[in-house]
Amino acid sequence: MPSFAHLLIFFFTIFISSNLISSSHVQDPQLVVQDFHRSMNASRRKLAYSSCGTGNPVDDCWRCDPNWEANRQRLADCAIGFGKGALGGKNGRIYVVTDSGNDDPVNPKPGTLRHAVIQDEPLWIIFKRDMVIQLKQELLINSFKTIDGRGASVHIASGPCITIHYETNIIIHGIHIHDCTQGGNGNIRDSPEHSGWWTISDGDGISIFGGKNIWIDHCSLSNCHDGLIDAIHGSTAITLSNNYFTHHDKVMLLGHSDSYIQDKNMQVTIAFNHFGEGLVQRMPRCRHGYFHVVNNDYTHWEMYAIGGSAAPTINSQGNRFLAPDLRFRKEVTKHEDAPESEWRHWNWRSEGDLMLNGAYFRQSGAGAYATYAKASSLSARPSSLVGRITVTAGALTCRRGSRC
């Protein structure tokens, strides 16, 4: 059992994280330290239920509950990192998707996923059975929605996939997303009251434009036309956790362009993910903002793992990096689109990372505490535990009536 001192540190870190994303502005953790002790007693009362001892705080929060199916919305209390404030459809009604077909982008049929996600009210969306959903256009998700795939094997595949467009408080959990294609040049409904013309999309697995309070957890993503997950246009307060990424080139783009300075306040946590076979680059590629890359398992890259441009702050902690065998592909990092005289001032730090097979991380910048505080969202576990923490990354096999 962990000592009380360790548990105190754990709850302190979670408390700090929750306050970091209380608004769209980047905040300094020091501003909320004074409030920590007021929440300590409440945290201790939750201790017996919230810790199962795997070391993965998300999974320890809910997977030890044998009645997870009856307590689905508890998941919303288990987020970590900068996206911790994502409510999803918490306290909303349960919407059961019963129809995997009949995708009408303008007049979606009740019982389909598209009909569920465009509703104006908070909804916790679940699935009646295993299904493969092939969309004809992008799936535009309205605010305050949870897509919860637990209890079924749900694939969104072989068509346009998910777009979050200036919406907030969205949780996507337990979905397989793969073989996504471009969509657009057509009408798509984004609410019960409105549909409009959308131009051609990039073909991402999940596209986040101007989104806030977003949590994507335990999804499996592969083989899409462009990125697997891209977040641009001022998006912030995002956590990407426990996902399994495979067979793709440009995995993850965080920041629209070097000239789009609205992304300077972006804060993204990338935690407990497995970057697996067949990946090439961008795990992630960052611009302008603050990025906490913590306790991920990198078992494959062909070009590089973590890259960026436009002076992002990258805080890499407790990850495991296994370099490819090729002699000139050992470097974890890639400083993009700038001479060394410029990128050597960017704040990129590696702390407690495990480097295997010759992997190395090229650090840069002065490493001022205040800067890295804005790129810190939870306490890193030792890199020696990464294998255990990430062993169930990706969509889980959760069957009704049994422990997940």
Side-chain angles (χ1 to χ4, degrees):
M1 289 293 291
S3 69
F4 178 73
H6 287 93
L7 295 168
L8 182 68
I9 293 169
F10 172 77
F11 283 112
F12 174 75
T13 305
I14 295 300
F15 179 83
I16 291 294
S17 303
S18 67
N19 283 276
L20 276 170
I21 46 74
S22 61
S23 75
S24 61
H25 301 289
V26 178
Q27 298 187 32
D28 190 328
Q30 297 179 76
L31 298 178
V32 297
V33 169
Q34 59 187 344
D35 294 327
F36 169 65
H37 288 287
R38 288 200 290 267
S39 71
M40 193 58 211
N41 287 337
S43 296
R44 290 180 68 183
R45 286 194 296 270
K46 296 177 183 177
L47 181 60
Y49 190 82
S50 64
S51 179
C52 281
T54 69
N56 185 318
V58 176
D59 289 355
D60 289 352
C61 178
W62 71 270
R63 289 186 66 188
C64 46
D65 180 5
N67 297 315
W68 64 267
E69 186 183 1
N71 300 317
R72 283 182 177 272
Q73 295 195 11
R74 175 171 169 75
L75 179 68
D77 300 324
C78 299
I80 47 87
F82 291 125
K84 179 179 173 60
L87 296 175
K90 184 179 180 181
N91 299 323
R93 66 184 176 94
I94 300 291
Y95 186 112
V96 182
V97 175
T98 59
D99 188 346
S100 63
N102 299 308
D103 183 49
D104 186 333
V106 179
N107 296 299
K109 179 181 175 183
T112 61
L113 178 58
R114 188 180 296 277
H115 183 269
V117 299
I118 65 166
Q119 300 306 307
D120 291 330
E121 63 180 301
L123 291 176
W124 198 278
I125 301 163
I126 66 173
F127 299 83
K128 185 176 181 179
R129 59 179 178 276
D130 297 354
M131 58 182 67
V132 177
I133 299 172
Q134 185 174 4
L135 300 165
K136 296 178 181 177
Q137 293 284 13
E138 299 165 74
L139 187 74
L140 305 179
I141 303 180
N142 215 330
S143 295
F144 295 97
K145 301 293 181 292
T146 296
I147 300 177
D148 180 359
R150 289 175 297 174
S153 176
V154 179
H155 294 248
I156 298 175
S158 303
C161 290
I162 294 173
T163 295
I164 299 168
H165 192 258
Y166 295 97
E167 304 291 347
T168 185
N169 286 286
I170 292 170
I171 298 171
I172 302 173
H173 178 96
I175 306 294
H176 300 264
I177 301 168
H178 56 92
D179 299 291
C180 300
T181 64
Q182 292 181 295
N185 276 347
N187 281 308
I188 308 174
R189 184 165 296 280
D190 56 11
S191 76
E193 300 81 21
H194 179 264
S195 65
W197 184 267
W198 287 71
T199 57
I200 294 177
S201 67
D202 291 336
D204 297 330
I206 301 175
S207 295
I208 307 171
F209 295 83
K212 298 177 184 177
N213 297 319
I214 310 296
W215 182 30
I216 300 167
D217 183 61
H218 271 298
C219 291
S220 297
L221 301 100
S222 64
N223 195 36
C224 294
H225 180 79
D226 190 26
L228 294 183
I229 301 176
D230 286 3
I232 61 174
H233 281 233
S235 299
T236 192
I238 298 168
T239 292
L240 313 175
S241 59
N242 294 307
N243 300 296
Y244 184 33
F245 302 96
T246 61
H247 301 104
H248 194 77
D249 180 4
K250 300 174 181 179
V251 178
M252 192 185 301
L253 175 67
L254 305 175
H256 178 64
S257 67
D258 288 3
S259 61
Y260 195 85
I261 61 173
Q262 290 92 327
D263 283 327
K264 68 182 180 179
N265 286 337
M266 180 182 288
Q267 289 178 304
V268 182
T269 298
I270 301 158
F272 320 136
N273 302 287
H274 182 186
F275 294 92
E277 63 270 18
L279 300 181
V280 179
Q281 59 181 316
R282 298 189 178 183
M283 299 170 244
R285 187 205 193 285
C286 310
R287 289 184 171 107
H288 291 294
Y290 302 89
F291 306 93
H292 195 189
V293 184
V294 55
N295 288 148
N296 301 281
D297 197 7
Y298 290 83
T299 56
H300 189 96
W301 68 81
E302 293 182 16
M303 291 179 62
Y304 68 91
I306 300 172
S309 59
T313 296
I314 298 175
N315 189 8
S316 174
Q317 294 184 305
N319 300 286
R320 182 168 68 176
F321 295 103
L322 175 64
D325 290 332
L326 292 174
R327 179 181 176 186
F328 298 106
R329 294 291 185 265
K330 302 292 187 183
E331 184 175 349
V332 170
T333 48
K334 184 178 182 182
H335 296 77
E336 301 259 18
D337 303 329
E340 183 175 354
S341 59
E342 180 179 334
W343 63 250
R344 69 184 181 185
H345 300 293
W346 300 352
N347 290 309
W348 293 20
R349 177 174 70 177
S350 170
E351 183 178 71
D353 291 327
L354 179 61
M355 302 292 178
L356 301 173
N357 198 35
Y360 66 97
F361 188 111
R362 196 184 300 271
Q363 300 190 83
S364 58
Y369 170 79
T371 300
Y372 282 120
K374 295 174 184 176
S376 299
S377 57
L378 70 153
S379 179
R381 301 283 288 170
S383 58
S384 60
L385 301 179
V386 162
R388 187 175 77 182
I389 291 171
T390 63
V391 68
T392 58
L396 298 164
T397 302
C398 297
R399 292 304 175 187
R400 295 178 177 91
S402 62
R403 195 163 174 171
C404 190

